[in-house]
C-alpha cells in the first residue's frame, strides 16, 4: 500500500476517534463528573491495566503471540466494564456515554505515557481503537439502560443476556476490523489475512476480555467497587501466563536462529544467508496470504533449510546446492530434515526442509516459497555485482516453467518492489 494511501486510512480512523474524544471531554467538563468515586476507581483500574499489560517488544521479524493481539487485556476489560455499568452497589449510575469515553481516554493516556516515552508503539493506534470500540459499546448500552428499556427486556425473558452477548460480539468484531485496517495501513500487508488472524484470536484472549468486562459490570452492580480487584485477578493471571508463553516463543526463535548459523560458522553458507531467507520468506508468505501459524512454520523452515549441508565433506561455492546432482540434493535435504526432527521442532518444519529437492509442483506452498527465496538470495549475493537483484529476479522468472512457481516469483517481486518488507 502506498504511504499516502496508508496515511489517509490512518487519518480516517484517527479523525472520528479524535472527534469522539473532544466531544466527550467537553461534555464531561461542562456537566461535571458524575459519581467521581466510581469514575476514579475504574480509571485507576484501566490505567494499571495499561501499565502492566505491555511486555517486552516482540522480536523483529516474528509474529505476534495470541496474548499480544490485545496489548493490555486488563485495561480493555476495565474499560468495557465501565461502558456496561448500569448500577454500583444496587444504586443506578448516571455517567453516560461522554463520561465513559472521557474516563477511558484519560486513564489510557496515563497508562500509555511510559510506552510513548520508550518509543514503543504505535500507541496512538491502540488508543484510537479503544476510543471507538468503547464508544460503540457505551452508545449501545447506556441510553437503553438509563431509559429503563433493558429493565423491561429482563422482566420479559432472556433477551438481556442475548443482548449482552450480541453486543460483546459486535464490539470485538469492531476492534478486530479496526486493528486489521490499521495494520494494513502501517505495513501494506494484505488485509484479508490480517483480519483472519485478528478474528482467529477472538475466541482466546478476546473472549476472556469480553467475559471479564461483563462479569465485572454485573458484580459491581451487586457488590460495589470491591468486585473490581476480585474479578480482575483471573484475567491478570491469564495475562501473565500469555506473557510467559510469548517469552518462551521468543527464546525458541532465537534458539532456531542460533542453530541455523552453524552452517555459516562452518563456512558452508554465506554470512547472514539463513536470516535473509527467513525474513524474505516470511514477507512473501504474507504477500500470498498465509496465516500467522503457517508464517511461523515457514520462518523456521527457512532458517533451517541448509542445515543438511553439514554432511558435505567440502562446502559448495557460496552454499548453492542447485548445481549438484539431483540425488545429492535429495540426500542433503533428507539429512537436513532428520536434523530438524532431532531438535524437537514441529514436524511441518522438517517436512518443508526434506522436500526442498522435490519438483516444485509436488511441494506445499511453504516449501515453494523457501525454494524460490533461497535461489534468489544465492543469485543476488555479493558476487553478483551491481544490478544483481534484478538479474536474479529475471532468472527466476525464466525458470518458472520448471523450477519455481510463477505466483511465488511474482509475490517475491512485489515484496522487493516495496523495499523487501520482512516483518
Amino acid at each position: 500500500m502506498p504511504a499516502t494511501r496508508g496515511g489517509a486510512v490512518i487519518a480516517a480512523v484517527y479523525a472520528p476517534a479524535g472527534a469522539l474524544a473532544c466531544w466527550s471531554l467537553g461534555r464531561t467538563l461542562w456537566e461535571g463528573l458524575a459519581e467521581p468515586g466510581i469514575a476514579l476507581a475504574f480509571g485507576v483500574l484501566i490505567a494499571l491495566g495499561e501499565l502492566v499489560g505491555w511486555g517486552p517488544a516482540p522480536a523483529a521479524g516474528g509474529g505476534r503471540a495470541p496474548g499480544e493481539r490485545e496489548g493490555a487485556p486488563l485495561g480493555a476489560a476495565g474499560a468495557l466494564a465501565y461502558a456496561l455499568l448500569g448500577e454500583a452497589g444496587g444504586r443506578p449510575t448516571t455517567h453516560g456515554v461522554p463520561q465513559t469515553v472521557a474516563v477511558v481516554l484519560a486513564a489510557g493516556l496515563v497508562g500509555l505515557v511510559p510506552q510513548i516515552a520508550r518509543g514503543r508503539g504505535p500507541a496512538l493506534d491502540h488508543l484510537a481503537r479503544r476510543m471507538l470500540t468503547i464508544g460503540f459499546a457505551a452508545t449501545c448500552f447506556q441510553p437503553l439502560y438509563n431509559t429503563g428499556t433493558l429493565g423491561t427486556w429482563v422482566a420479559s425473558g432472556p433477551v438481556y443476556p442475548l443482548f449482552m452477548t450480541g453486543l460483546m460480539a459486535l464490539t470485538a468484531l469492531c476492534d478486530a476490523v479496526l486493528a486489521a485496517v490499521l495494520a494494513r495501513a502501517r505495513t501494506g500487508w494484505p488485509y484479508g489475512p490480517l483480519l483472519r488472524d485478528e478474528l482467529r484470536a477472538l475466541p482466546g484472549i478476546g473472549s476472556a476480555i469480553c467475559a471479564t468486562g461483563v462479569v465485572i459490570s454485573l458484580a459491581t452492580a451487586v457488590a460495589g467497587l470491591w468486585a473490581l480487584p476480585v474479578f480482575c485477578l483471573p484475567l491478570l493471571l491469564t495475562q501473565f501466563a500469555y506473557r510467559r508463553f510469548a517469552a518462551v516463543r521468543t527464546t525458541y526463535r532465537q534458539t532456531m536462529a542460533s542453530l541455523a548459523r552453524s552452517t555459516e560458522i562452518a563456512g558452508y553458507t554465506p554470512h547472514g544467508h539463513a536470516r535473509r531467507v527467513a525474513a524474505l520468506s516470511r514477507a512473501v508468505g504474507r504477500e500470498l496470504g498465509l496465516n500467522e501459524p503457517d508464517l511461523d512454520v515457514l520462518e523456521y523452515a527457512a532458517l533451517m533449510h541448509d542445515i543438511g549441508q553439514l554432511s558435505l565433506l567440502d562446502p559448495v561455492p557460496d552454499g548453492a546446492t542447485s548445481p549438484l546432482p539431483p540425488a545429492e540434493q535429495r540426500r542433503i535435504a533428507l539429512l537436513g530434515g532428520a536434523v530438524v526432527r532431532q531438535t524437537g521442532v514441529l514436524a511441518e518444519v522438517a517436512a518443508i526442509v526434506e522436500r526442498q529437492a522435490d519438483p516444485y509442483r509436488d511441494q506445499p506452498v511453504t516449501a515453494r516459497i523457501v525454494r524460490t527465496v533461497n535461489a534468489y538470495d544465492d543469485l543476488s549475493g555479493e558476487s553478483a555485482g551491481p544490478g544483481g537483484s534484478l538479474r536474479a529476479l529475471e532468472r527466476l522468472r525464466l525458470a518458472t516453467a520448471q523450477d519455481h512457481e510463477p505466483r511465488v516469483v511474482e509475490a517475491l517481486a512485489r515484496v522487493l518492489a516495496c523495499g523487501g518488507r520482512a516483518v
Side-chain angles (χ1 to χ4, degrees):
M1 174 180 290
T4 54
R5 185 180 173 188
V9 172
I10 294 172
V13 175
Y14 278 19
L20 177 62
C22 293
W23 172 75
S24 300
L25 286 174
R27 283 284 301 272
T28 302
L29 292 174
W30 180 263
E31 298 176 355
L33 199 63
E35 295 105 15
I38 298 175
L40 178 61
F42 276 92
V44 170
L45 173 63
I46 297 168
L48 288 177
E50 297 287 350
L51 288 171
V52 304
W54 295 85
R64 291 179 297 174
E68 296 172 325
R69 297 290 170 187
E70 169 54 62
L74 186 58
L80 191 59
Y82 192 54
L84 303 179
L85 187 66
E87 295 182 5
R91 298 180 179 179
T93 58
T94 58
H95 53 278
V97 177
Q99 181 170 313
T100 299
V101 176
V103 169
V104 172
L105 172 62
L109 288 174
V110 171
L112 290 178
V113 165
Q115 305 304 322
I116 296 175
R118 295 173 190 170
R120 291 279 308 279
L124 292 180
D125 286 4
H126 166 81
L127 193 59
R129 284 169 48 199
R130 183 65 53 79
M131 290 295 96
L132 293 174
T133 54
I134 294 303
F136 171 78
T139 301
C140 292
F141 178 84
Q142 291 290 337
L144 292 176
Y145 193 94
N146 293 334
T147 58
T149 304
L150 288 183
T152 303
W153 290 354
V154 171
S156 62
V159 181
Y160 181 73
L162 292 177
F163 171 79
M164 296 293 284
T165 303
L167 178 56
M168 292 302 94
L170 289 175
T171 302
L173 178 61
C174 175
D175 185 65
V177 170
L178 288 174
V181 166
L182 289 170
R184 162 71 173 165
R186 294 284 183 188
T187 65
W189 297 339
Y191 177 76
L194 289 171
L195 179 60
R196 185 171 63 242
D197 286 338
E198 294 294 338
L199 294 176
R200 186 170 290 157
L202 290 182
I205 193 66
S207 62
I209 292 172
C210 292
T212 303
V214 173
V215 168
I216 291 175
S217 65
L218 295 176
T220 303
V222 177
L225 297 178
W226 287 107
L228 270 63
V230 173
F231 289 95
C232 286
L233 184 60
L235 183 60
L236 186 61
L237 295 176
T238 303
Q239 178 180 333
F240 286 144
Y242 270 121
R243 185 175 294 180
R244 290 180 63 88
F245 171 76
V248 170
R249 188 168 176 266
T250 300
T251 303
Y252 185 80
R253 178 180 285 109
Q254 292 171 346
T255 301
M256 294 286 293
S258 298
L259 183 60
R261 290 194 65 239
S262 60
T263 57
E264 302 174 13
I265 296 173
Y268 285 88
T269 57
H271 177 72
H273 171 72
R275 176 181 50 81
R276 291 192 300 270
V277 173
L280 197 52
S281 294
R282 192 178 186 99
V284 173
R286 279 203 180 276
E287 187 69 27
L288 291 173
L290 299 187
N291 57 36
E292 204 71 41
D294 288 340
L295 289 175
D296 288 338
V297 170
L298 174 62
E299 181 182 0
Y300 297 150
L303 283 171
M304 304 293 289
H305 74 279
D306 275 331
I307 198 72
Q309 290 199 39
L310 293 175
S311 65
L312 298 174
L313 295 178
D314 297 309
V316 296
D318 296 325
T321 58
S322 54
L324 297 177
E328 183 67 6
Q329 294 184 39
R330 184 174 298 278
R331 185 185 71 85
I332 293 173
L334 292 175
L335 285 173
V339 172
V340 173
R341 291 183 190 278
Q342 293 297 319
T343 64
V345 180
L346 295 172
E348 295 93 328
V349 176
I352 294 173
V353 174
E354 289 172 343
R355 301 188 66 178
Q356 284 303 294
D358 293 353
Y360 86 82
R361 292 179 178 85
D362 299 332
Q363 293 176 327
V365 65
T366 46
R368 298 177 187 182
I369 292 172
V370 175
R371 178 195 191 102
T372 299
V373 174
N374 176 52
Y376 169 79
D377 194 76
D378 289 339
L379 294 171
S380 62
E382 295 180 358
S383 60
S389 297
L390 293 177
R391 287 197 298 271
L393 194 58
E394 186 61 26
R395 289 182 62 179
L396 291 179
R397 284 179 169 139
L398 292 174
T400 52
Q402 182 176 357
D403 296 326
H404 303 283
E405 182 182 1
R407 185 170 63 107
V408 176
V409 175
E410 293 310 312
L412 173 62
R414 291 193 298 270
V415 168
L416 294 172
C418 294
R421 59 183 184 271
V423 298

